[in-house]
Structure formats: structure tokens, C-alpha cells
Amino acid sequence: MTEHPHTPLPRLADTLRRLPPSCGPVRLVAVDGHAGSGKSTFARRLAEALGDAPVLRLDDIASHDQLFGWTDRLRRQVLDPLSRGETAHYATYDWHERRFGPADGPLPPAPVVIVEGVGAGRRALRPQLAAVLWMDVPHEEAWQRGRNRDGAVQRDFWDGWEPAELQHFTGDPSRPFAHLLVRQCPEGYEVLPGPHVTLTEA
């Protein structure tokens, strides 16, 4: 078996730190990919490599009623404050209670802020993103991982999610605009150039 090379996350973190700010003083980095592709784990490890960079989970912004219709809320509660160099405060959605809680961020305007979730690299956000990272896992494999992780109790949710995600990425694909492709290896990650233009460091 051929061993895949892995990319040390501190090296990737250094590259991201050197990018020009994209949202006020913040370098906003999207970690996108299909549900079940490993975005949350990768984002957490990348945040650690960045010295505990703030991470916004789009699961906290989306809701049952708006699986993908959260752009305006994200802009109002998060992007606008960050663009002014202010700490953002956003209401977190409770997927069990099916309601939003009070504004409970906070999300500070750190040098690098990670936005993690399906659709993080969408068209409406790209002007304010310093980089789009795509978890390069085919949707069939990612969805099966997600179903196995969530178990039978979430089967109905996944039955509705899969066509909704497919519809979203058909109309607003992120992968063609990714600067980097991230592939999980037996140990660590391999980070490859994406279909989009090369990252330009400051």
C-alpha cells in the first residue's frame, strides 16, 4: 500500500496567517464539503494549529427551516461586525428544541477565523473569504459516514438532507472555487492545490 504524504497543519496555518485580510482585519477561511466529510474535526485541528483560532460552525447558524437559507443571518450577525473589527454575537440554533437561543457567540475578530460547514464557500460569501478549503470526499462516501455516525435516530433527517444538499451544490458549487483540497490520510491530512487560483500571500 502506498503511503500518502501528509501536510503538517502548522505549515498550512502559517500560509493562512500570511494571507491578506478579507473581512475587515480578519482572514476568513471556509472549510466546506459534503455532510460527513470530516469538516468539523479538520477545522478543530486547524484552529489548534492556528493557536486556538475561533471557529464558527454553520450548524449553529442553519436551522430545520433554513438548511441553506442562512446567508442574510450570517452576514448580519457575524460578517458585518467582523468587517468593522468588532466581536460578533450570534444566536445558536438548537437542533433538538428546534429554536434559536439568545445571542451567545462571541466570535472575536481574530487574525484568522474559520467558518466550517456545508456551503461555507458559497458564492455570496466568497468576496469576504481569504481562502476556501474543500474536504475532498465524494458525497456518497461522506453521506454514508454521516449516517453511520448519527445512527437510525437521524435517518429521517438524512433522507431530507441529501436531496437538499445536492440541490444546493448543483446551483452553487463550492469545490470549483476551492483554493485547497483536503484529503484525510491514515495519519493527518494531505493538502493539495484546488481548482481555483493559487493563494496569494501578503
Side-chain angles (χ1 to χ4, degrees):
M1 179 181 296
T2 303
E3 183 177 351
H4 291 282
H6 67 277
T7 302
L9 290 187
R11 190 171 73 198
L12 174 59
D14 287 341
T15 297
L16 297 175
R17 286 191 193 98
R18 291 195 296 266
L19 295 175
S22 59
C23 181
V26 175
R27 294 152 187 83
L28 207 60
V29 175
V31 176
D32 203 342
H34 299 290
S37 61
K39 298 180 300 301
S40 298
T41 299
F42 175 76
R44 183 175 67 251
R45 293 178 179 173
L46 179 57
E48 291 171 356
L50 285 160
D52 294 325
V55 179
L56 173 66
R57 299 173 65 253
L58 290 178
D59 281 354
D60 292 338
I61 299 292
S63 66
H64 284 91
D65 294 334
Q66 293 184 314
L67 293 177
F68 293 98
W70 39 256
T71 303
D72 289 342
R73 184 164 56 253
L74 178 68
R75 181 175 288 116
R76 184 175 64 254
Q77 296 184 1
V78 177
L79 301 185
D80 288 350
L82 291 182
S83 70
R84 299 190 296 266
E86 300 170 1
T87 296
H89 296 270
Y90 58 94
T92 300
Y93 186 69
D94 188 319
W95 288 88
H96 297 288
E97 297 293 330
R98 290 177 171 257
R99 61 179 175 80
F100 283 98
D104 61 358
L107 193 73
V112 179
V113 173
I114 299 171
V115 179
E116 172 268 311
V118 180
R122 62 174 46 187
R123 182 186 305 113
L125 304 185
R126 286 197 290 269
Q128 291 182 283
L129 296 176
V132 176
L133 280 58
W134 176 264
M135 303 302 294
D136 206 29
V137 179
H139 70 266
E140 299 94 341
E141 179 182 341
W143 290 347
Q144 190 57 53
R145 285 187 195 176
R147 284 181 177 270
N148 293 342
R149 176 195 65 204
D150 294 344
V153 68
Q154 293 290 339
R155 184 175 58 195
D156 288 346
F157 174 79
W158 275 95
D159 287 347
W161 172 269
E162 291 180 4
E165 183 188 297
L166 190 61
Q167 181 180 17
H168 167 72
F169 280 135
T170 297
D172 191 355
S174 295
R175 191 184 188 279
F177 300 93
H179 299 91
L180 298 171
L181 302 178
V182 181
R183 296 175 182 169
Q184 191 166 5
C185 304
E187 293 185 10
Y189 296 90
E190 182 183 13
V191 181
L192 303 171
H196 201 44
V197 294
T198 305
L199 291 176
T200 302
E201 298 179 1

